[in-house]
Amino acid sequence: MLMFFAGCSNEGSGKELIDGINGFLTDHFDRCRLDSLNYIIIIPNQGCAGCVNVAELFYRDFSERNDILFIFSNIQSVKMLHHKISVNNANTIIDTANVYLNMFQQKEAIYPTAIVMKDGSASAIMMQSPRQPGLRVIRNHLEQKLLTKNK
């Protein structure tokens, strides 16, 4: 069973956050691209080190999937990022201007974040933080789906 956590902020409800993210996504992506995605994973290159490490391992294992868009933000050096991980340009955005971090409050921008997509819209937000295992939950879900498919 996959559980989703809607992110909350002090400035509004989880629904308001989701609505804001959907507006942002509509402004930055075409409808066809959004319809093809199950997840958008935003990985800050600086922030919670252990959390970012979990996200980078997730990227390594799932970067070839076309239904996941990865966005690396808050990058010190693009050259160092390329040296650290093998970037799959087909489904990866290197956000050197930190445009995509604008969807979240500054205190949340240090954590890798998964936007769960359904029918071309954000339906839930899952953080990978010391208190929230967002990417681990998604990993377990994807691996379970793969095991079920291979039976």
Side-chain angles (χ1 to χ4, degrees), residues 25-97:
L25 293 175
T26 301
D27 289 345
H28 288 82
F29 295 99
D30 66 57
R31 184 93 233 146
C32 184
R33 180 66 173 136
L34 292 174
D35 286 341
S36 71
L37 296 172
N38 288 322
Y39 302 100
I40 298 173
I41 311 294
I42 301 171
I43 305 171
N45 202 241
Q46 299 174 6
C48 172
C51 306
V52 170
N53 186 49
V54 168
E56 289 171 347
L57 292 172
F58 185 91
Y59 180 81
R60 182 198 67 201
D61 295 342
F62 296 103
S63 66
E64 298 298 320
R65 291 182 60 113
N66 292 328
D67 64 333
I68 303 175
L69 174 66
F70 293 91
I71 301 171
F72 284 89
S73 286
N74 206 14
I75 300 164
Q76 277 186 321
S77 164
V78 174
K79 187 176 183 178
M80 284 175 50
L81 178 65
H82 280 278
H83 182 71
K84 190 175 184 181
I85 60 168
S86 178
V87 175
N88 174 5
N89 291 323
N91 67 341
T92 304
I93 295 173
I94 307 297
D95 179 22
T96 56

Side-chain angles (χ1 to χ4, degrees), residues 7-25:
C8 297
S9 70
N10 292 333
E11 296 179 12
S13 71
K15 182 183 177 342
E16 289 171 347
L17 177 61
I18 296 284
D19 289 346
I21 288 171
N22 279 322
F24 184 92
L25 293 175

Side-chain angles (χ1 to χ4, degrees), residues 4 6 18 22 115-118 121-125:
F4 298 115
I18 296 284
N22 279 322
I115 301 171
V116 181
M117 302 294 291
K118 183 175 181 183
S121 296
S123 62
I125 307 300

Side-chain angles (χ1 to χ4, degrees), residues 105-148:
Q105 289 186 349
Q106 186 173 3
K107 67 180 180 172
E108 296 168 335
I110 66 168
Y111 299 113
T113 304
I115 301 171
V116 181
M117 302 294 291
K118 183 175 181 183
D119 301 324
S121 296
S123 62
I125 307 300
M126 300 175 74
M127 297 274 186
Q128 177 65 45
S129 73
R131 295 177 186 216
Q132 297 180 27
L135 294 177
R136 288 187 175 119
V137 171
I138 294 171
R139 173 185 290 278
N140 290 342
H141 174 72
L142 293 173
E143 289 172 350
Q144 190 65 33
K145 258 176 99 171
L146 185 62
L147 287 173
T148 303

